[in-house]
Structure formats: C-alpha cells, structure tokens
Amino acid sequence: MKKKERQGEEKAKAEEQKEQKAQKAQKKRRKGPSVSTIVLVFILLAGAGIMAYPSVSDWWNSMHATRAIAGYAEAVESLSDQEREAILTAAHQYNESLENGTNFALTDEQLAEYDSLLDITGTGIMGYIQISSIGVNLPVYHSVDEAVLQIAVGHIPGSSLPVGGERTHAVMSGHRGLPSAKLLSDLDQIVEGDIFTINILNQTITYMVDQIRIVLPEETEELGIQEGKDYCTLVTCTPYGINTHRLLVRGRRIDNIAGEVVVVSEAVRIPNYIVAPAIGIPLLFVILLAMLIYYGRLGPKKTEAELLDEMRKK
C-alpha cells in the first residue's frame, strides 16, 4: 500500500515538475523576439535603408525644388507690372555691359552687382528651367557654389543673365551622378532639336538644342558671347561618375512652342518614378518588420503533446 502511495506521490511530483517546465517555456516564449530575429530585422532595415536612400533623397530634393519654384512664382505674382519691367530692364542693361567672348572672372564690385539682379526673393533664385524630354524642373540660382549645385542648377557669374536678347549667352551648370539627387543626370540623353525653357519672372524663353560638345574643363571658347546670337548652354560633368570632361548642351533662342510652355502647377509635379519607390520601399519594410515582431512574440508553435496535455487539464 505504501509502495503505491509512494508511486502516486512520485507521479504527482513528476507531473508538477512537468507543468512547471511547461510554464517556464511559455514565459520564455512570451518574452519577445529572439536575438536571431532582432539581428535579421536589423539586417533587413539596413538593406532597406541602402536601397531606399537614392529614391528617398531624390524625392526630398524634389520636394525642396518644387517649394522653391512655387515660392518664386508667388513672389513674381506679388510684383506689379512696373516692378517686373524695371527688374528685367536692369538685367538687360547688365547683359549689354558684358564683353564678347568669355570673361567669368568678376571683381567683388561686379559680383555684388550680379548678385543683386533678378533676386526678387532674397534667396538667390532667379527663375527655373524645364527640360520636358528628360523630366527636369529645377530652380536656377545665382552662382555655381557647391551648396547650390547639390540641390539645383547654378548660373555661372560673368555669363549673360538668362533673360534672352541679341548678343547674349547664358551659361548654367548642374551636377550628374549624385546619390542624393537626380538633377542633370540624364542630360547626356538630350539630342539636337530637343527643347528646353527658362522661366524668368513672367516670361518664358525657349531654346532648341543646336550643338552638343564634350570638352576639357579649361576649354571655354564655346561659352563665349557672340554678336547677334541668343544662346543658352547647359554644362555638366562627364563621363558619368568620372567627371574628367564637360558636356556642353547649347540651345539657340526660338519662338515659344505650344505645349512646351509649362504652367507652374505642372512644373512642380513630382514624377511617379520618384514617389513610388520613395513611399513603397519604406512601407514594405515597415510591414515586414511588424510581421517579424508579431510572429516573434507569438513564439514557436506548440507541439501535439503540449496541446493534448492542455486539453486533459481543461
């Protein structure tokens, strides 16, 4: 009898120990995701960040560009006709004072005069450029300082201000191949006959590409002012990522073409190829992260024996 009682006690003790182990295992499962899950999530997030950076950064830069253009358009609208006319007249007079050829070395006094022209917002923006064939809508700022070229197109001081007119040659520069912004990365896709427009105050000036050259940085002859010519040249580095030479895309002034003059609301629209990855990639990995955390908290599935044991207890 005593033997049976001992066996019963031992059995009860074994069941109690088994139940305690099951409770401990269940508590471990509820503690949260395992170390391996955390490492996996970290790797996935790092990969997502690397993949999303170019699109997100370009989207962010485009947002700033659209705001700059919209702010400029509002500032132009707030000016009276007389004020706009006076600003344009001063710019044309400045262009008339420039010598033929290339003279991009300005004195401090000349640079101060240059900076004061066409700057209606006080931020240095003088207008914006549109190249519909490669989807470019970017503000144009005074100077080619690195701070400008990281986010927009810069106008080279000493070249004609981009207001058009006989004996003018406006020269603008922009970066290619930046991981943070697209800018003029696709300028090499331009061909002769393509159209681009410069929007200054309330006027749109249209240029047709008539010459494309690749030159060394010190070769500036193609950028000179020529008697009776109305030119605008876009300059960027080439080959892509190597930047030993300069790509010069020159346009000659033509009459405005219906459909090429883009209204501001259309000019500031961000392309879908930027918006989709910028929103879609981060959203995808946020969902993946949430799923990993959720299933990590659930823990491993119960075995058949554990499920039967729970049913017996109930």
Side-chain angles (χ1 to χ4, degrees):
M1 193 74 174
K2 286 182 181 180
K3 189 177 179 181
K4 285 183 180 180
E5 286 178 1
R6 270 199 308 273
Q7 286 176 344
E9 287 174 1
E10 287 174 358
K11 189 176 179 182
K13 195 181 241 184
E15 286 180 357
E16 187 178 348
Q17 288 175 347
K18 187 178 178 182
E19 189 175 348
Q20 286 175 351
K21 284 181 181 179
Q23 287 175 352
K24 284 180 182 178
Q26 194 170 7
K27 282 180 183 177
K28 280 184 181 179
R29 284 197 296 267
R30 288 177 180 172
K31 278 184 181 178
S34 64
V35 174
S36 60
T37 302
I38 294 171
V39 171
L40 179 60
V41 168
F42 177 78
I43 292 171
L44 287 171
L45 287 176
I50 293 168
M51 288 174 61
Y53 175 74
S55 293
V56 173
S57 181
D58 193 29
W59 171 78
W60 183 257
N61 186 74
S62 296
M63 285 291 292
H64 281 278
T66 58
R67 287 178 184 173
I69 293 173
Y72 175 78
E74 288 176 9
V76 170
E77 287 298 318
S78 68
L79 296 173
S80 66
D81 291 341
Q82 292 80 7
E83 287 173 323
R84 285 194 287 263
E85 187 62 34
I87 293 168
L88 281 173
T89 298
H92 283 295
Q93 288 174 347
Y94 173 83
N95 285 346
E96 289 170 6
S97 71
L98 297 175
E99 299 176 358
N100 284 6
T102 57
N103 181 20
F104 301 139
L106 302 182
T107 65
D108 291 342
E109 186 180 344
Q110 290 171 329
L111 191 59
E113 179 189 9
Y114 162 78
D115 287 336
S116 69
L117 297 167
L118 297 179
D119 186 12
I120 63 172
T121 66
T123 62
I125 185 173
M126 61 171 64
Y128 55 99
I129 181 172
Q130 300 172 342
I131 314 174
S132 58
S133 61
I134 56 173
V136 166
N137 294 296
L138 290 170
V140 177
Y141 285 85
H142 290 72
S143 87
V144 285
D145 293 341
E146 191 58 29
V148 168
L149 297 184
Q150 287 288 325
I151 60 171
V153 171
H155 173 265
I156 295 181
S159 71
S160 304
L161 292 169
V163 292
E166 289 189 5
R167 208 189 69 85
T168 61
H169 194 164
V171 184
M172 302 178 189
S173 180
H175 276 326
R176 298 177 71 211
L178 292 183
S180 58
K182 193 166 182 254
L183 301 176
L184 297 184
S185 291
D186 293 336
L187 192 63
D188 62 330
Q189 297 178 20
I190 292 285
V191 296
E192 291 186 16
D194 280 352
I195 301 296
F196 64 90
T197 60
I198 311 295
N199 300 272
I200 303 292
L201 294 175
N202 60 339
Q203 67 172 2
T204 298
I205 306 169
T206 303
Y207 291 92
M208 176 180 287
V209 176
D210 71 339
Q211 178 179 281
I212 299 173
R213 295 280 188 273
I214 294 176
V215 300
L216 291 169
E218 61 272 16
E219 295 175 342
T220 60
E221 294 81 8
E222 299 288 350
L223 305 178
I225 296 171
Q226 298 179 34
E227 199 66 41
K229 302 296 184 180
D230 187 339
Y231 287 141
C232 179
T233 294
L234 308 178
V235 182
T236 192
C237 296
T238 195
Y240 190 93
I242 300 174
N243 306 333
T244 55
H245 289 66
R246 299 294 178 265
L247 174 65
L248 309 182
V249 176
R250 191 185 73 184
R252 61 176 176 81
R253 176 84 175 270
I254 62 170
D255 293 335
N256 290 342
I257 300 172
E260 287 295 336
V261 180
V262 185
V263 297
V264 173
S265 60
E266 293 173 342
V268 299
R269 188 179 298 158
I270 301 173
N272 289 334
Y273 70 82
I274 294 175
V275 176
I279 296 175
I281 293 175
L283 184 61
L284 175 65
F285 280 92
V286 166
I287 293 170
L288 181 59
L289 174 62
M291 290 175 64
L292 284 170
I293 292 173
Y294 174 73
Y295 286 112
R297 290 182 67 84
L298 286 180
K301 290 182 179 179
K302 293 180 181 179
T303 63
E304 212 173 301
E306 287 175 329
L307 289 170
L308 287 170
D309 190 46
E310 279 189 7
M311 290 173 68
R312 287 196 202 96
K313 287 177 185 176
K314 290 176 181 178

